[in-house]
Amino acid sequence: PDVHTCSLFPDHPLLEERNLLIAPITDSPKPPPSRITMTYPLLAKSRNIAFVVTGESKVEKVVESLCEEPKTPAGKVKTDDGTLLWFLDSAAASGLSDRPVSQMY
């Protein structure tokens, strides 16, 4: 559970892409190695974005995504004027109760 979103993977150079809206990726850390992805600039133009996260195995990554300085690609997704929602089951949200969270959805 690395909490990648689209095909934006942790520590990948495409996380820094600021010009292209859609970009090729040829060295994906998960199969298939060649694919295309939406980039942060395109996601920022979205009217609505929703993340659905379930299960205890995602607790750590949910906390890393919703903290003050997100460490995951999913946590760095922002919209210019849209709505960003996180739907979490109780297991995935169980690590949030005693930690500072920048925004609760």
Side-chain angles (χ1 to χ4, degrees), residues 55-86:
E56 191 173 323
S57 67
K58 301 292 189 350
V59 171
E60 180 182 346
K61 296 302 181 182
V62 166
V63 170
E64 290 177 6
S65 296
L66 297 178
C67 66
E68 290 290 328
E69 294 185 32
K71 298 171 182 66
T72 65
K76 294 177 182 177
V77 170
K78 306 286 182 245
T79 65
D80 293 338
D81 289 318
T83 301
L84 175 62
L85 299 171
W86 286 74

Side-chain angles (χ1 to χ4, degrees), residues 4-97:
H4 74 276
T5 188
C6 300
S7 285
L8 297 170
F9 292 93
D11 304 317
H12 195 278
L14 278 178
L15 295 175
E16 304 306 319
E17 177 58 54
R18 297 294 177 255
N19 297 312
L20 296 174
L21 300 179
I22 302 289
I25 178 171
T26 58
D27 58 349
S28 169
K30 292 190 172 188
S34 295
R35 40 171 100 193
I36 60 170
T37 185
M38 292 179 267
T39 61
Y40 287 139
L42 179 63
L43 294 171
K45 297 179 183 310
S46 299
R47 187 174 305 162
N48 297 294
I49 298 174
F51 287 95
V52 179
V53 186
T54 62
E56 191 173 323
S57 67
K58 301 292 189 350
V59 171
E60 180 182 346
K61 296 302 181 182
V62 166
V63 170
E64 290 177 6
S65 296
L66 297 178
C67 66
E68 290 290 328
E69 294 185 32
K71 298 171 182 66
T72 65
K76 294 177 182 177
V77 170
K78 306 286 182 245
T79 65
D80 293 338
D81 289 318
T83 301
L84 175 62
L85 299 171
W86 286 74
F87 296 95
L88 310 171
D89 69 4
S90 58
S94 65
L96 297 177
S97 62

